[in-house]
Amino acid sequence: GQNIDQPTEMTATEGAIVQINCTYQTSGFNGLFWYQQHAGEAPTFLSYNVLDGLEEKGRFSSFLSRSKGYSYLLLKELQMKDSASYLCAVRRNAGGTSYGKLTFGQGTILTVHP
Amino acid sequence: NAGVTQTPKFRILKIGQSMTLQCTQDMNHNYMYWYRQDPGMGLKLIYYSVGAGITDKGEVPNGYNVSRSTTEDFPLRLELAAPSQTSVYFCASSSGTGGHEQYFGPGTRLTVT
């Protein structure tokens, strides 16, 4: 099976930097995804890591260490609109028709204060 | 492109009733998924499909059924609704290339009383 852990809640101040961690245990790891979900809305794709290292996309960056089973999402220059739930999801390479299935963590609710 | 659309947006069912949640995508994606999300939780996979005519169970399939007769449509059927099926249901789709990220529909909020 898979086990994905992320903090339940975090708070930060507008303009600051926040790092949301995600640890996972799985066999056949084949990619880690971050999604953003505003309250009452659908998740939207933020980033994808399959190799170790940092992927940067504007104010958002995502890091992966496969040997440690660890990822983080870094949000810079926080804005009020970044208040949302951030979901970490792991894809497992089970082959055949299982390709593409994700297992989600419970999400981290980020609140950005003025 | 409308992306992934779901109907209805909201529904209240009585215990024992049945209903079908509709999902359509116009991105020609082969892969489609149904998830449920309970309050304060992540998403749990109910069923998925890798193409027309091919479906398989996810983590929590009991009480649900699916079919995939076309690439575009992936309806989810609830038979004999139970209070435990009160949840928000999301449909998603993905292509078979690249990062394989999933695109989600707006969700259906279902209450069973």
Side-chain angles (χ1 to χ4, degrees):
Chain A
Q2 299 183 75
N3 193 32
I4 301 171
D5 288 312
Q6 33 179 150
T8 304
E9 294 183 49
M10 298 182 72
T11 59
T13 304
E14 197 174 13
I17 299 173
V18 72
Q19 177 175 311
I20 302 174
N21 296 326
C22 172
T23 58
Y24 63 89
Q25 294 173 315
T26 188
S27 56
F29 174 83
N30 193 26
L32 188 140
F33 294 75
W34 285 96
Y35 282 82
Q36 181 190 60
Q37 186 178 25
H38 285 102
E41 297 183 11
T44 54
F45 170 75
L46 284 179
S47 70
Y48 163 67
N49 295 70
V50 67
L51 300 176
D52 291 349
L54 189 68
E55 294 281 340
E56 296 188 77
K57 266 189 183 182
R59 294 190 298 116
F60 292 12
S61 304
S62 57
F63 172 83
L64 175 67
S65 168
R66 289 172 297 170
S67 62
K68 294 191 168 96
Y70 168 68
S71 173
Y72 67 72
L73 180 69
L74 193 72
L75 291 76
K76 302 176 192 172
E77 301 168 17
L78 280 171
Q79 302 175 10
M80 300 295 289
K81 68 178 182 180
D82 297 329
S83 292
S85 180
Y86 291 86
L87 303 168
C88 171
V90 172
R91 184 173 67 202
R92 186 169 171 232
N93 186 10
T97 61
S98 295
Y99 184 77
K101 285 201 303 181
L102 300 179
T103 299
F104 284 82
Q106 84 277 10
T108 298
I109 298 173
L110 173 67
T111 303
V112 180
H113 294 290
Chain B
N1 273 0
V4 180
T5 57
Q6 292 181 238
T7 56
K9 286 192 170 60
F10 304 92
R11 184 73 186 266
I12 298 173
L13 279 183
K14 293 191 187 308
I15 294 171
Q17 287 184 321
S18 301
M19 76 165 293
T20 299
L21 281 67
Q22 301 292 345
C23 174
T24 300
Q25 54 93 8
D26 63 0
M27 297 175 282
N28 202 31
H29 285 169
N30 284 326
Y31 295 78
M32 295 188 75
Y33 314 83
W34 273 106
Y35 295 92
R36 60 175 288 172
Q37 186 175 35
D38 299 325
M41 303 296 288
L43 295 107
K44 300 285 187 190
L45 183 66
I46 305 171
Y47 269 96
Y48 67 102
S49 169
V50 300
I54 307 170
T55 63
D56 206 350
K57 296 177 181 178
E59 299 173 72
V60 291
N62 291 346
Y64 307 95
N65 272 303
V66 293
S67 60
R68 184 98 182 268
S69 56
T70 66
T71 300
E72 295 78 19
D73 300 307
F74 190 40
L76 177 72
R77 178 84 178 159
L78 278 73
E79 304 282 2
L80 299 174
S84 61
Q85 293 178 304
T86 294
S87 191
V88 180
Y89 291 84
F90 289 104
C91 178
S93 72
S94 65
S95 69
T97 60
H100 215 65
E101 61 264 28
Q102 296 182 16
Y103 297 86
F104 286 81
T108 294
R109 189 174 296 273
L110 176 68
T111 302
V112 182
T113 62

